[in-house]
Structures are given as C-alpha cells and as structure tokens.
Amino acid sequence: MIPLEKKVANLSSKVEKLEAQNKQLCEENMQLLKWKCAFEKAPFAMAVYDFLRDDYYPNQVFLQLLDRQTPVSDSFSLREFYKDSQTAAEILDSMISGEFWTGEVEIQKSKEDTFFAHLNASPVNVLNDEMISLISLHQNFPQNELLKEQKELHSQYFQTLQAITLGMIRRLGLSDLLNAILMKACTLTQISNGFMFLYNASEDKLILKAACGRYKAYMGHEVTSEEGFIGEVFDSKEPIIVMSRENFKDRSNSEIFKGVQCIIGVPLISGARLLGVIGMSDDEDKIDTKLIAIIEEFSSIATIAIDNSQLYSDLKMEFQKRLEIETESKEREQRSKEIVKKQNEELKQAYIDSLHRLVLASEFKDEDTGDHIVRIGEYSRILAQKLGWSEKEIEIIKYAAPMHDVGKIGIADKIMLKPGKLSHEEFEIIKTHTIIGAKLLSESKSDILKMAKQIALCHHEKYNGTGYPKGLLKNQIPLAARIVAIVDTFDALTSKRPYKDPYPTEMVLGIIIKERGKHFDPHITDLFVEHFEEFLKVRETIGGFEEVVLENFSLSERDKALLEKNKGPL
C-alpha cells in the first residue's frame, strides 16, 4: 500500500506539468490569435494555400480584390482564380519543390472580367512537416489598363493577320485584301475615313487602291510621288500627323482632301522598297499620336499582302514561262520519241523480215511453207495468251516459233521431198535438223533467237521422254517447245505434204487427245482442245484448207510406217 504522502506528491507533480502545458498552449493560442488578427487585418491581399486539400484560405482584402463575399473560414480551389492553367501549374510546382515564386499573373475575377497582379508565393513547413504556402497579391492598375489595351490591339492585329492569311489561301485579289485591312484598322480606331495609296514605279504615281468612308468616291485617284500630303509622307519615309486644318491646307492641293481637319499618314515600306502610303483622317479632332503605332501595325500587314501579291504574280509569270518552255521541250521530246519509235519499228520489221526470209529459205521446196510458218506463229501466240504470258513474251514466241524447222536447210532435198517410206538411216538424218537449227540460232543476244534456239532443238521432244534429240522428260522440255510441239503437229496433220494428204479434222482432234500426257503437255493439250475451234479458224483463214471426209481418207505408206514406229503422230 502506497503511503498517502507519496500519492499527494505525485498528484502535485502532475498538476504542475498540466499547468505548464496549459500555459504553453495559452501562449501559442495568443500567438495564433495575433497571427490570425494580422492575417485578417493586413492592408494587402493574403492567402494560405493548403497543398493536401488544394484549398485557399483568403483574407478580406483578397476577397474584396476578387469581388467575393466568402467568409475567411471558407476556402476555394487554386484553379478557381488563375486565368492561365499553365501559370497555376508552375506556381504549384515551385511551392511543392519548396521554392519561392514571384511574377505577374492574370486573375480571373469573374467569367468575363480579369485583372493583372504581382504575386508572391512562399512555401512554409508547419507541424508534422505539413507544407503550406503564404500567398500575397498586389494589383497593378496602370499596368492592367496598359496590358488590356495592348491585349485588345494585339487581338485585332492577329485577327487581321489571320484574315489576310485566309485571303491569301483563297487567292482573293489584292484590292479585296487591302480593303479588308483598311476596314479593320478603321474599325479598331473608330475612325471612319481611311485610304491606301500604292506606288506605280513605271509612271511615278501613287494610286488610291483601298478606301473607307469619304475616300471611297475617289477610288483610282492618282497623285505624283511629290504631290501634296501623300507625296510628302512618301518622300519622307516617316509617319506624318497633322492636328489642325490650318496646318494641313498648305500641304494639299488635291480635291480628295478638301475639308479635312486632322490627318495621319504612314509610309508602306518593305525592306528598301517604298510601296505606298496608308492613312486616316477625321473631321472631329480624333487624330492623335497614339494612332501612329496602330496604323504602323496595319501598314506591316498591308506590306505582307502587297509582297505576297507581287510574289504570286512573279511566280505565276515564272511558272507560265517555265510551262511554255516545258511544253515546247515535251513536244520536241515527243517528236523525237515518235521518230525513234518509228525508226525502231522499221528496224524491228527489217529484223523480223530477215528472220522470215531465213525460215522461207529453209523450207523453200515446200509449196505451203509461207503459210505454214505464219500459222505456227499465230497458233503459238494464241496458246501463250491462254497460258497468261506477258505481252512481250507473246510477241517473242510469235516470231520465234516459225523458226522451229530452220535446221531442215541442212537436210538433202532427196530425203526431205521423198514421197515414199523413209529408211532408218534417212529418218535418223531428218532428226538431225533439230541440232542443225539450234546451231544456226546459237550465240545470239536477241530474245527472239534465244527462244527460237530452244524451240528448234526441243520441239520434237515428247512429254513422256520418248522424243528426240535428247529424250527430255516433262518440264525438262522448255515451255515454248511444248507449245510448238502441239501446234506443229496440228498444222502438219491438217496440211498436204509431198508424202501425205491432210487428215480429217475429227481424226486430228482424236490423235491430239490420245497423245495427252504422252507426246504433249497435259495442261497445254487441255487448253488446245478447249479452244480447238479458234485454232481451226486460223487454219482455215491462212492458206488453203481442204476439208477431208473421214470415209474417203487413207494413210500414206510413210505415215503408216511412222505411226507403227512411234506409236503416235509424226
């Protein structure tokens, strides 16, 4: 059990501590009251900004400055009164970083009304390292009026620049652009009479090109570069302002300025070039020196429009000249191309004619030779087209295919024209025409002769590998040679030769179908059969065609021997 005296001593100690804490709190409260009183009664605008809550606690002067009735105990957000959100973000970043911020800001007083003020923002650490900021605001009335006026002027200036830019894009005439500029200047200055003279260097005259108010009646009016007020402004290259009729009447001898009391003129200058004069006048003494800066701004816009118009005219003229030169050049180039094309066609025709004569020489003894080689070329063209070849490839095979038997020029006439059965030795000699033809057509850079060599060498090869001279199988045989193999057989079977009569049409078709996959490429055979009537029409059209009735037909001795030996057509 604790003695009573000890309990009393402990209790007295606690009371003393509580009294000390209470005294400290009273002193702190007194300091807070002093600060609160100083904050509320400060003669300038102050506010405390709470970072965590994004709240402002303003004093009465701050509220009065904003025309607000919100009590001091209430708060509002930082973003409520800064006009520019970017500025608000910069201030907040500085305070969060613990840095002092000072500068000019635009304050949003209401939706329509703003003012400029100087703002200081000081970050402060309080209890528990919580950050607040003290804000002071000082309104600058003269600066506000000046900034407001400058803002309005710049707004009008940029609106006019935008209108001029749109005018340039839409390609409005220079007169329309200058009148738009002058009208904007008169509207901004609330002066109804405006003029703009442009200088014509070739005639040394200034001509009225844009006008507002009283000057509209004088559009096109001309003065010399040394005449009256306009000539004086132009010659001096400086703005001139006349504030009274007495001072002005000796400066003008032109009807256009009769009765004018006050006038201002500004030269239009682009670099070192004098372009003209822009100005305004008023009959009620509204002209003052402040207008010079405004009119100079619009004179700059006018020179942009004039320079652009001149540049456009120059470029248009240059473009026209270049277009004429280019057109003439293209015409010359086209004429040259036509001449070269004609020469190439003539050379090509001469080349093809030479090849044709070579083929004719190889089969000179055959009465049907000329028509036969033309038909072979046409058949091959049709099949290549059905196979989807390019136009160039189709043209090549048309001229290459007729040279398939060019090697026969090296075979003796007694064998080639023999009407009866060939001996084994004679047939072996005839087979060599493929090798002879390939040798004749070798070593050429011509695409036609390159393909002709393949055809000459391989057009007697068979799809199943039983042909000659190499016994090539299927796709080992060049595609061009596979095409000629079937059309040459068709034309040979339907033609009269010294050693045989033409075969009946239905018998020819039956032989070709039977040889599908044996002698002939299956796909090419299918295409040929599908379009058989088209090939038959070529056969009937080019050269003589004798329709043979199947019942009256009989094989020649030579064909019988060949069919027996080869188990298929020649």
Side-chain angles (χ1 to χ4, degrees):
M1 183 175 178
I2 301 173
L4 181 61
E5 293 80 2
K6 192 170 183 178
K7 286 183 178 180
V8 170
N10 289 339
L11 184 60
S12 297
S13 176
K14 288 181 179 180
V15 168
E16 287 176 0
K17 286 182 180 179
L18 287 172
E19 287 177 345
Q21 289 176 356
N22 186 48
K23 183 179 179 181
Q24 184 178 354
L25 285 172
C26 287
E27 289 176 354
E28 288 177 354
N29 284 335
M30 184 60 67
Q31 287 179 347
L32 287 173
L33 286 171
K34 288 178 182 179
W35 277 108
K36 184 173 182 294
C37 183
F39 174 75
E40 290 178 354
K41 295 182 178 181
F44 50 85
M46 292 186 66
V48 175
Y49 174 61
D50 186 335
F51 287 89
L52 294 177
R53 299 170 184 81
D54 186 23
D55 286 338
Y56 265 90
Y57 298 89
N59 66 1
Q60 289 298 329
V61 180
F62 201 110
L63 290 173
Q64 289 169 7
L65 202 59
L66 298 178
D67 283 343
R68 299 203 181 194
Q69 304 300 322
T70 308
V72 176
S73 57
D74 289 348
S75 66
F76 52 87
S77 172
L78 164 70
R79 297 170 182 81
E80 282 189 47
F81 69 90
Y82 287 126
K83 173 70 173 177
D84 183 7
S85 59
Q86 186 175 353
T87 302
E90 289 177 4
I91 295 171
L92 181 59
D93 288 343
S94 295
M95 290 189 290
I96 291 173
S97 302
E99 297 175 358
F100 180 79
W101 192 95
T102 182
E104 297 292 330
V105 293
E106 188 175 5
I107 303 299
Q108 187 76 49
K109 198 170 185 178
S110 64
K111 286 185 179 180
E112 294 82 17
D113 192 16
T114 64
F115 67 89
F116 289 86
H118 187 82
L119 183 141
N120 294 318
S122 304
V124 178
N125 278 316
V126 292
L127 295 174
N128 300 321
D129 289 331
E130 184 177 335
M131 183 74 77
I132 64 169
S133 183
L134 292 177
I135 306 292
S136 66
L137 208 60
H138 305 278
Q139 190 176 13
N140 189 338
F141 291 99
Q143 186 184 33
N144 286 329
E145 293 302 319
L146 178 61
L147 288 172
K148 187 174 181 180
E149 183 178 331
Q150 290 178 345
K151 183 180 178 183
E152 176 66 21
L153 176 60
H154 281 90
S155 174
Q156 294 286 342
Y157 178 76
F158 285 115
Q159 284 178 22
T160 306
L161 270 181
Q162 184 183 30
I164 298 310
T165 303
L166 289 173
M168 290 174 180
I169 292 169
R170 295 169 185 160
R171 290 306 331 144
L172 293 177
L174 179 61
S175 179
D176 292 334
L177 287 174
L178 296 181
N179 275 292
I181 295 167
L182 191 60
M183 181 65 72
K184 200 74 176 178
C186 289
T187 301
L188 180 62
T189 57
Q190 297 182 345
I191 294 175
S192 57
N193 303 311
F195 54 84
M196 197 181 305
F197 285 80
L198 296 191
Y199 181 57
N200 185 328
S202 62
E203 298 180 6
D204 192 28
K205 288 183 179 180
L206 289 145
I207 305 168
L208 185 62
K209 290 290 187 179
C212 294
R214 60 174 289 160
Y215 298 110
K216 283 186 177 181
Y218 297 95
M219 283 294 290
H221 182 78
E222 298 179 358
V223 296
T224 66
S225 61
E226 298 176 354
E227 182 182 344
F229 177 75
I230 299 300
E232 187 177 351
V233 176
F234 186 78
D235 186 57
S236 69
K237 303 178 186 177
E238 296 288 343
I240 295 177
I241 184 168
V242 182
M243 305 297 293
S244 66
R245 173 62 188 166
E246 288 71 23
N247 293 333
F248 179 62
K249 63 183 175 182
D250 293 333
R251 296 169 181 256
S252 177
N253 53 7
S254 175
E255 180 69 23
I256 190 173
F257 295 117
K258 187 176 181 180
V260 171
Q261 295 180 7
C262 306
I263 191 168
I264 184 170
V266 175
L268 297 171
I269 302 175
S270 176
R273 295 185 305 124
L274 279 168
L275 303 179
V277 174
I278 182 174
M280 299 177 185
S281 70
D282 197 271
D283 298 335
E284 300 176 1
D285 297 337
K286 290 183 179 179
I287 302 295
D288 60 43
T289 55
K290 289 192 296 184
L291 289 176
I292 293 177
I294 298 173
I295 297 176
E296 283 181 334
E297 294 277 13
F298 282 92
S299 73
S300 299
I301 302 175
T303 57
I304 292 172
I306 296 167
D307 282 342
N308 179 76
S309 177
Q310 185 61 50
L311 178 62
Y312 177 76
S313 298
D314 292 344
L315 287 174
K316 188 176 180 181
M317 189 178 297
E318 180 66 22
F319 175 77
Q320 191 63 37
K321 287 180 181 177
R322 291 189 179 185
L323 185 62
E324 290 172 1
I325 294 170
E326 188 175 342
T327 302
E328 186 179 346
S329 175
K330 283 183 177 179
E331 288 175 354
R332 284 199 304 269
E333 184 181 352
Q334 185 62 32
R335 287 195 296 270
S336 298
K337 283 182 178 179
E338 289 173 359
I339 292 170
V340 171
K341 183 179 179 182
K342 185 179 179 182
Q343 291 174 343
N344 286 340
E345 286 294 329
E346 290 173 353
L347 286 171
K348 179 180 175 182
Q349 196 56 47
Y351 173 70
I352 292 169
D353 187 56
S354 299
L355 296 179
H356 185 73
R357 291 175 186 276
L358 174 64
V359 175
L360 283 174
S362 68
E363 300 189 16
F364 186 69
K365 290 91 179 175
D366 191 337
E367 294 178 0
D368 191 40
T369 292
D371 294 331
H372 168 68
I373 61 176
V374 174
R375 288 194 298 268
I376 292 296
E378 191 61 21
Y379 298 146
S380 300
R381 180 192 67 78
I382 295 170
L383 263 182
Q385 196 174 50
K386 304 299 182 189
L387 286 165
W389 283 23
S390 68
E391 289 185 11
K392 184 179 179 181
E393 290 171 324
I394 292 170
E395 185 181 40
I396 290 171
I397 196 170
K398 178 182 177 180
Y399 295 118
M403 288 182 270
H404 63 291
D405 278 339
V406 72
K408 286 181 179 179
I409 199 170
I411 306 298
D413 292 346
K414 64 179 181 178
I415 298 175
M416 285 300 303
L417 302 176
K418 183 178 180 180
K421 180 181 177 182
L422 295 173
S423 67
H424 174 74
E425 292 76 13
E426 289 172 332
F427 186 65
E428 289 300 316
I429 291 171
I430 282 184
K431 287 164 65 175
T432 63
H433 81 279
T434 56
I435 297 170
I436 294 169
K439 287 181 179 179
L440 285 172
L441 298 169
S442 62
E443 305 300 327
S444 174
K445 295 180 180 179
S446 165
D447 290 335
I448 293 175
L449 293 183
K450 285 178 182 177
M451 184 181 285
K453 176 188 175 182
Q454 290 181 340
I455 293 171
L457 183 65
C458 302
H459 72 286
H460 283 291
E461 297 287 359
K462 294 184 178 181
Y463 196 74
N464 61 6
T466 61
Y468 65 86
K470 295 184 178 181
L472 299 178
L473 180 68
K474 295 183 179 180
N475 292 343
Q476 292 176 343
I477 308 167
L479 183 55
R482 281 179 268 157
I483 290 173
V484 174
I486 193 167
V487 299
D488 186 38
T489 300
F490 168 74
D491 199 75
L493 291 174
T494 57
S495 300
K496 184 177 178 62
R497 290 286 185 267
Y499 49 83
K500 76 167 193 66
D501 291 326
Y503 281 33
T505 303
E506 58 268 38
M507 187 175 179
V508 172
L509 182 59
I511 291 171
I512 288 174
I513 292 171
K514 183 181 177 182
E515 291 299 310
R516 181 184 184 275
K518 300 175 184 177
H519 189 162
F520 308 128
D521 182 308
H523 179 52
I524 295 175
T525 305
D526 293 341
L527 282 174
F528 187 88
V529 172
E530 182 183 352
H531 301 280
F532 184 72
E533 292 297 325
E534 195 171 341
F535 293 100
L536 194 61
K537 186 176 179 181
V538 173
R539 180 65 189 83
E540 293 172 352
T541 305
I542 302 173
F545 178 69
E546 182 181 344
E547 186 69 45
V548 179
V549 179
L550 184 60
E551 289 77 11
N552 301 331
F553 175 75
S554 61
L555 291 172
S556 66
E557 291 301 319
R558 181 169 170 176
D559 279 357
K560 288 178 182 178
L562 287 172
L563 286 171
E564 179 64 28
K565 181 178 181 63
N566 297 311
K567 304 299 182 182
L570 178 62

